[in-house]
Amino acid sequence: MADSGLPHRPKPEETPEAAAAPAAEGAGGPSKNALKKAAKEKAKAEKAAQRAAQEKAQAAAQTADDTAKDLYGKIPKTEDAVPVTRVKELSEDLYEKEVTVVARVDNARVQSAKLAFLMLREQGTKIQAVVAAAEPISRQMVKWTGGLSVNTIVQVTGIVKKPGVPVSSATLSNLELHIRKVYVIAEAAQMLPMQVKDAERPPPEGADEGQLDSEGTPLVTLKTRLDNRVLDLQTETSQAITWISSGVAQLFAEYMIKSGSRWISTPKIAGAASEGGSNVFEIKYFKRNAYLTQSPQLYKQMCIAGDMENVFEIAPVFRAEDSNTHRHLTEFTGLDFEKTFRHHYHEVLEFAEDLLVFILSELKVRYKDQIAVIQKSYPKAGDFRLPKNGKALRLKYMEGLALLKEAGVDVSEQERFENDFTTAMEKQLGQIIREKYDTDFYVLDKFPMSVRPFYTKADPEDPTFSNSYDFFMRGEEIMSGAQRINDVKELEDSMRAKGLDPNQEGFEDYLSAFRQGCPPHAGGGLGLNRIVMFFLGLPNVRQATLFPRDPQRLRP
Ligand code: ATP
Ligand code: MG
């Protein structure tokens, strides 16, 4: 005890403070028990303080002889100005050069007292980093580095080297970073609800929570990924998918603006459920009720009546449908447009067909790298077929129906115009068209009037049909559109024919737009999430949606 260098500590009974402790109870002075208790507490506190002091002294002693003490730890203020290289920009050209990167710890592992490995990840791109104890790098630094918690954001300075053998688990398998310095920028919690590296592979179909694959790696279900979406977004695949979503919105806007279209924002809260559908969300609106719009349809048309000629919008669309399928959300991103025409609605149809050919072919060029990443998990991502001549394939609804009939599908309900194609029929037609015309994108025109909404213009030559069209990708619908009725009398008749009352609340503003005169126009509504999903061949629309909303999911 005497040579420990620590001062002698008196026993609790001896301490003057304990003896002088004030009375805790009673007016007759402190009881013996109260004094004993106070003394005990005091001793406990002292013991803890001593332990802390001991640890601090030990740590200080260690740092004193740690040759690397300035090379690791919390980032020092002086490091602010260091130029940082993006991980994905590292290449063999940088062999033997010193670089500094900022990345997350994808994995940390101590190999021995003298060697530790970090897998670093920046926006899905991974590189291995090694730290070896050799002057000035100390064993303490190796131990600390290997003990970094997964997902911590670090700044690493090191020399780019060629690894002995390619690092197969890294994206940059021919590079390795030999660590000189490593500082923590933001620390991650010790326990993560899900490992990002376990979510790199596609979610298993039909597996339950907690199952392992044949190699003992946890299978992370889609539910777990979506519950922990922030971590899931960090995977290489999610990073690439979110770029494709961004690309679809950008290309849509680019095409529209290039063609002189005006970018509009229409209200999402409406005083009445005016599209006639029952699939609207009712919300509280001060002392009354309001509704979330199921499309910008009526507003787009009112803009046309307002002489805006050519308009588009990118905005949320709400559907209160209890559809629990791979392609239905209760909130999705709508890409909408509406446009006047001179002679025939096919002017607008062609405009929309060229829009899709533009978006899909530009995605292939501009997002080649992202598509290649996604293809590793979803092999269909790279093989979306577009018509070779750059013109969309357009068939009439009845021609599509004939193709299905030829293939032996029972289409009697569709022939009687009682129902639209079922999802299964659409998919089968997509397969037939792919084989016959070598394209995954096509258009069906002239749908029966009975399966379209009231504002759709009937075909003047045969009013059983209508001037309406749907667009398909890999056999599933991504857009519905039509020429709209622009004559108020015809519009009111069409409403009545669909069982709607033109005098019903919510229609007066819409109808008066036509009473005041409105030019002929047509348009369409696309689902961004579906375009991404089908372009990449993803099995579920939720994977193409940042924070999906469906009948079961309202978080995160
Ligand atoms: P579906 O027949 O697939 O239910 P719909 O005909 O009801 O679709 P529309 O009202 O025509 O859909 O909407 C236009 C576009 O918006 C669709 O082609 C699709 O791309 C997208 N969309 C519609 N409903 C949803 C939804 N619930 N989730 C995601 N996207 C949707
Ligand atoms: Mg539709």
Side-chain angles (χ1 to χ4, degrees), residues 420 452 470 477 479-480:
D420 201 346
R452 306 300 278 203
D470 270 8
E477 181 193 320
M479 183 184 109
S480 281

mmCIF file of all heavy atoms in Angstrom, residues 420 452 470 477 479-480, ligand 2:
data_model
loop_
_atom_site.group_PDB
_atom_site.id
_atom_site.type_symbol
_atom_site.label_atom_id
_atom_site.label_comp_id
_atom_site.label_asym_id
_atom_site.label_seq_id
_atom_site.Cartn_x
_atom_site.Cartn_y
_atom_site.Cartn_z
ATOM 1 N N ASP A 420 -61.516 -4.037 -66.300
ATOM 2 C CA ASP A 420 -60.207 -3.784 -66.887
ATOM 3 C C ASP A 420 -59.407 -5.092 -66.798
ATOM 4 O O ASP A 420 -59.843 -6.041 -66.138
ATOM 5 C CB ASP A 420 -59.531 -2.684 -66.032
ATOM 6 C CG ASP A 420 -58.422 -1.985 -66.790
ATOM 7 O OD1 ASP A 420 -58.002 -2.502 -67.850
ATOM 8 O OD2 ASP A 420 -57.959 -0.929 -66.307
ATOM 9 N N ARG A 452 -63.142 3.683 -67.398
ATOM 10 C CA ARG A 452 -62.367 4.918 -67.196
ATOM 11 C C ARG A 452 -63.174 5.958 -66.420
ATOM 12 O O ARG A 452 -64.412 5.918 -66.419
ATOM 13 C CB ARG A 452 -61.928 5.510 -68.556
ATOM 14 C CG ARG A 452 -61.185 4.545 -69.451
ATOM 15 C CD ARG A 452 -59.927 4.018 -68.842
ATOM 16 N NE ARG A 452 -58.786 4.891 -68.953
ATOM 17 C CZ ARG A 452 -57.511 4.467 -68.901
ATOM 18 N NH1 ARG A 452 -57.225 3.179 -68.749
ATOM 19 N NH2 ARG A 452 -56.528 5.333 -68.982
ATOM 20 N N ASP A 470 -53.074 3.591 -71.366
ATOM 21 C CA ASP A 470 -52.258 3.198 -70.210
ATOM 22 C C ASP A 470 -50.871 2.862 -70.728
ATOM 23 O O ASP A 470 -50.732 2.342 -71.844
ATOM 24 C CB ASP A 470 -52.837 1.952 -69.523
ATOM 25 C CG ASP A 470 -53.848 2.312 -68.438
ATOM 26 O OD1 ASP A 470 -54.211 3.498 -68.321
ATOM 27 O OD2 ASP A 470 -54.261 1.391 -67.703
ATOM 28 N N GLU A 477 -48.823 -1.618 -64.977
ATOM 29 C CA GLU A 477 -49.194 -0.236 -65.293
ATOM 30 C C GLU A 477 -48.319 0.791 -64.578
ATOM 31 O O GLU A 477 -48.101 0.703 -63.378
ATOM 32 C CB GLU A 477 -50.663 -0.035 -64.882
ATOM 33 C CG GLU A 477 -51.163 1.351 -65.196
ATOM 34 C CD GLU A 477 -52.491 1.669 -64.518
ATOM 35 O OE1 GLU A 477 -53.372 0.795 -64.446
ATOM 36 O OE2 GLU A 477 -52.640 2.823 -64.075
ATOM 37 N N MET A 479 -48.706 4.246 -65.948
ATOM 38 C CA MET A 479 -49.381 5.512 -66.243
ATOM 39 C C MET A 479 -50.780 5.275 -66.778
ATOM 40 O O MET A 479 -51.021 4.323 -67.521
ATOM 41 C CB MET A 479 -48.592 6.323 -67.286
ATOM 42 C CG MET A 479 -49.232 7.691 -67.569
ATOM 43 S SD MET A 479 -48.405 8.628 -68.877
ATOM 44 C CE MET A 479 -49.635 8.503 -70.171
ATOM 45 N N SER A 480 -51.692 6.158 -66.388
ATOM 46 C CA SER A 480 -53.003 6.227 -67.031
ATOM 47 C C SER A 480 -53.182 7.649 -67.524
ATOM 48 O O SER A 480 -52.782 8.589 -66.842
ATOM 49 C CB SER A 480 -54.121 5.903 -66.041
ATOM 50 O OG SER A 480 -54.212 4.509 -65.865
HETATM 51 MG MG MG B 2 -54.808 3.483 -64.019
#
